[in-house]
Amino acid sequence: MKANCWTGRNSVEVQDVPDPSIMNSRDAIVKITSTAICGSDLHLLDGYVPTMQKGDIMGHEFMGEVVEVGPGITDGKLRVGDRVVVPFPIACGACASCRAELYSCCENTNPNAGISEKFFGHPTAGIYGYSHLTGGFAGGQAEYARVVLADANALKIESDLTDEQVLFLSDILPTGYMGADMCDIQEGDVVAVWGAGPVGQFAMDSARVLGAEKVIAIDKETYRLDMAAAQGYTTINFEDTDVRSALLELTGGRGPDKCIDAVGMEATHGASHVHLYDRAKQAVRSETDRPHALRQAILSCRSGGVVSVIGVYGGLIDKFPAGAWMNRSLTLRTGQCHVHKYMKPLLDMIEQGRIDPTRIITHRLPLTEAPTGYDLFKNKKDHCEKVVLKP
């Protein structure tokens, strides 16, 4: 089969690779009908996530048709011909974390738990196409994929919704929703979102669905800000506006009630000297992540507010404003998304027309043009917001 493979820093290539096979009695093989390029994939492309190996299959947002099931999948939970969306974290469904609906912290699905533990103190769940740190599982930017523990890790789509309406249930829609959900949004709240990429857009939509009075989008790409403005959100371009001052002006001097960091480790800063400081620290590995958005969110949030972090961080950061966080009674919440918890409720919202995931799609390409898709997305060419690939 053909699959998009990591071939080195800033390099991917569509290659011929062996077809996946059933390796565990609860596995299933899915013929991919749609897959996507995620902002988190760019962290792999740029070499900021360790343990990638040449030839690793990329991609953790995918869906398709079940073509084979293992003998351990019983009671008709999954059948050949079922149409499924696959969540990016792999959950066992039975450990203490899974029982607490902390699926991305599953204790049983990362075969490289020892590596993960060295980085993070405790292991994470296995993740498709996301380095050997998270298990080394083949990803879904391919013609076929092995779905692990498929009876616990595949959402059946039994309506006539299109792939594009449900594909993002695999990651970015639940991730954006979880970012808003962690904010405990109350009536009248002002919510500021750093990053108007796909996850940030869905965090904004989710904040509105959950009752926010005003949603503010912060980015530097005008086409992303225009996309947010078209939904009725207030926008701030951090390249020509001091973000904290603008937020204070918009909130009567108090700051936003809730702040969402949907950027993560590769943030940029409007002030060149601040940005160069973190780039230099990163280059010499004195820090691995650039936390501009996180710092700004903490310093901008009103006292007693919530800072929700759904942008991916991988290692160490410098100049974390711990004093502001502690002395102003801020709550900091974060996590890789517990996708399984949100998939069915969000599917219901899509069916009801309350959320339209298709609004962020700007580019549709065949799988064979995946390298072009990465170039468009990484370098923000042609107003690229989200790339969907079709095998």
Side-chain angles (χ1 to χ4, degrees):
M1 70 171 185
K2 293 194 179 299
N4 186 47
C5 301
W6 190 85
T7 51
R9 187 174 179 186
N10 291 312
S11 174
V12 293
E13 182 180 308
V14 177
Q15 300 178 342
D16 291 314
V17 301
D19 290 350
S21 59
I22 299 288
M23 299 177 66
N24 179 285
S25 66
R26 291 171 60 195
D27 287 350
I29 304 301
V30 170
K31 180 181 180 181
I32 307 299
T33 56
S34 293
T35 183
I37 300 173
C38 179
S40 299
D41 291 328
L42 300 184
H43 304 323
L44 302 178
L45 183 72
D46 292 344
Y48 291 123
V49 178
T51 72
M52 287 294 290
Q53 296 178 13
K54 188 174 182 179
D56 284 348
I57 299 174
M58 301 281 284
H60 56 269
E61 296 180 334
F62 61 97
M63 66 174 294
E65 179 185 336
V66 176
V67 295
E68 186 178 356
V69 296
I73 298 179
T74 58
D75 302 323
K77 290 182 178 178
L78 208 61
R79 294 187 174 95
V80 170
D82 283 344
R83 184 169 172 239
V84 296
V85 178
V86 181
F88 79 84
I90 304 168
C92 73
C95 68
S97 291
C98 287
R99 291 198 304 272
E101 298 187 308
L102 301 172
Y103 298 103
S104 70
C105 300
C106 178
E107 299 160 11
N108 292 325
T109 57
N110 187 347
N112 295 334
I115 301 174
S116 181
E117 188 173 347
K118 288 177 182 177
F119 277 88
F120 304 133
H122 292 274
T124 65
I127 297 176
Y128 294 103
Y130 216 76
S131 85
H132 295 264
L133 180 67
T134 60
F137 293 98
Q141 290 171 8
E143 294 180 311
Y144 293 87
R146 169 188 169 228
V147 179
V148 182
L149 301 174
D151 49 356
N153 288 281
L155 175 70
K156 284 196 278 189
I157 304 298
E158 299 177 293
S159 66
D160 59 357
L161 293 171
T162 66
D163 275 18
E164 291 184 355
Q165 287 176 292
V166 296
L167 172 61
F168 303 139
L169 289 168
S170 59
D171 176 7
I172 57 172
L173 179 54
T175 297
Y177 188 88
M178 181 169 134
D181 186 45
M182 289 191 296
C183 286
D184 291 336
I185 293 171
Q186 306 297 311
E187 185 178 348
D189 274 354
V190 176
V191 179
V193 180
W194 275 257
V199 170
Q201 297 283 345
F202 286 151
M204 297 173 213
D205 292 349
S206 301
R208 179 167 57 190
V209 164
L210 290 172
E213 180 175 295
K214 177 181 286 187
V215 177
I216 303 168
I218 302 160
D219 206 297
K220 70 181 179 69
E221 303 297 333
T222 54
Y223 71 90
R224 289 180 163 185
L225 293 172
D226 289 345
M227 185 176 285
Q231 299 300 309
Y233 307 133
T234 302
T235 62
I236 298 174
N237 187 325
F238 67 76
E239 284 203 321
D240 58 28
T241 304
D242 180 78
V243 172
R244 184 173 174 277
S245 297
L247 289 172
L248 290 175
E249 185 174 344
L250 288 167
T251 58
R254 296 174 67 240
D257 301 285
K258 312 291 163 60
C259 296
I260 300 174
D261 171 4
V263 182
M265 67 170 72
E266 292 188 71
T268 57
H269 195 283
S272 60
H273 65 284
V274 177
H275 184 62
L276 287 172
Y277 168 85
D278 276 292
R279 285 303 297 251
K281 294 279 289 187
Q282 196 176 47
V284 298
R285 294 300 186 258
S286 293
E287 65 176 353
T288 58
D289 306 356
R290 303 192 298 268
H292 304 310
L294 178 58
R295 292 187 192 121
Q296 204 168 65
I298 290 172
L299 293 171
S300 300
C301 191
R302 71 154 169 87
S303 295
V306 176
V307 176
S308 172
V309 184
I310 49 174
V312 172
Y313 288 88
L316 304 172
I317 60 176
D318 190 20
K319 301 291 188 293
F320 178 80
W325 170 44
M326 183 269 170
N327 285 290
R328 296 198 296 109
S329 301
L330 297 178
T331 298
L332 184 64
R333 291 180 177 147
T334 187
Q336 288 280 8
C337 185
H338 310 301
V339 175
H340 306 62
K341 176 180 179 179
Y342 298 106
M343 291 180 87
K344 185 60 172 69
L346 286 168
L347 176 60
D348 292 342
M349 290 186 196
I350 295 168
E351 291 175 335
Q352 295 161 9
R354 297 173 65 194
I355 290 180
D356 175 19
T358 65
R359 75 173 187 85
I360 66 164
I361 301 171
T362 54
H363 291 73
R364 298 164 177 88
L365 298 171
L367 176 66
T368 52
E369 294 182 25
T372 299
Y374 271 81
D375 179 52
L376 288 168
F377 191 38
K378 173 184 168 68
N379 296 302
K380 300 178 177 62
K381 295 179 178 178
D382 193 30
H383 292 179
C384 183
E385 178 78 356
K386 187 67 177 180
V387 180
V388 172
L389 302 172
K390 294 284 187 177

